[in-house]
Amino acid sequence: MSHDDAVACEGWDASECEGTVHCPPRCPRFVDKEGARWTIRPAVTEDAAPLAEMYEGFETADRAQGLPPVTRGRRAEWIESMLREGSNVVAERDGELFGHAMYTPTDAARPELAVFVHPTMQGRGVGTELCRHVIADAAAGGRDGLELHVESGNRVARRVYRTVGFELAERRGDLRMELDLNDPIAREVRWPPLAREGPATPVSETPSDAGRSPAPADD
């Protein structure tokens, strides 16, 4: 596969993409568990209004540690502060935002991760992919690690965080989880699709390959 930028990023089947030196820390192409196509990209200032609209659809059960804030004014202030002080990524589908993740403050050695997915899009792997983008970005930015807080009863979120490598660090009310960015997963999330997933067409098995277990695939 050529390293030409246009070839590396053309189309949605990125399974053979080797990446280029110009690629972001993680490939922005993403296909969810239902086959829908997404772009995961850095947030920009102009995303403030679309994010506010996205968060309008959050109910009490969709919030964690009081975030996103309930009132419209407080929510707008929070979004603006995250865009100003944190490193943010958004999940975009057909021009509409349905996911938001960030680590903050940007210059901390071990900043805090937060991730939110619109209720109608949960269970499709979008939150897991957003986490991987934050991990890749934090590792590329020279951070030492990431931490997060999650309610002990939120089993779905805890499972997502364990999937991407976070481990329990402290149990005091809410749970504090940590990920050391020297962990192998912080390197693996930055591999191009071909390195992560292997070729789309399996190579014929040779005698030397017989009996070997296949490499695990991303969730």
Side-chain angles (χ1 to χ4, degrees), residues 51-132:
L51 282 171
E53 182 178 353
M54 181 192 87
Y55 284 123
E56 285 282 353
F58 280 56
E59 303 292 343
T60 301
D62 304 314
R63 296 184 170 86
Q65 287 82 43
L67 298 175
V70 175
T71 65
R72 187 170 298 175
R74 292 281 301 278
R75 196 159 54 238
E77 292 175 0
W78 172 69
I79 292 169
E80 289 177 6
S81 69
M82 289 300 97
L83 292 176
R84 182 176 62 251
E85 300 170 5
S87 180
N88 298 251
V89 292
V90 292
E92 184 176 44
R93 178 184 170 193
D94 298 329
E96 188 171 355
L97 302 187
F98 289 102
H100 179 205
M102 75 292 287
Y103 68 82
T104 185
T106 305
D107 58 355
R110 303 184 73 87
E112 186 169 355
L113 164 73
V115 57
F116 302 91
V117 177
H118 192 277
T120 61
M121 295 293 169
Q122 293 178 7
R124 303 169 68 129
V126 178
T128 303
E129 184 64 14
L130 281 166
C131 287
R132 288 175 175 143

Side-chain angles (χ1 to χ4, degrees), residues 12 29-38 40 93 117 120-130 132 156-157 159-161 163-164 217-219:
W12 279 101
R29 306 289 191 182
F30 171 62
V31 179
D32 70 18
K33 293 178 180 179
E34 297 187 14
R37 299 171 178 179
W38 297 75
I40 313 292
R93 178 184 170 193
V117 177
T120 61
M121 295 293 169
Q122 293 178 7
R124 303 169 68 129
V126 178
T128 303
E129 184 64 14
L130 281 166
R132 288 175 175 143
V156 174
R159 183 168 61 249
V160 169
Y161 297 140
T163 296
V164 297
D218 276 357
D219 178 33

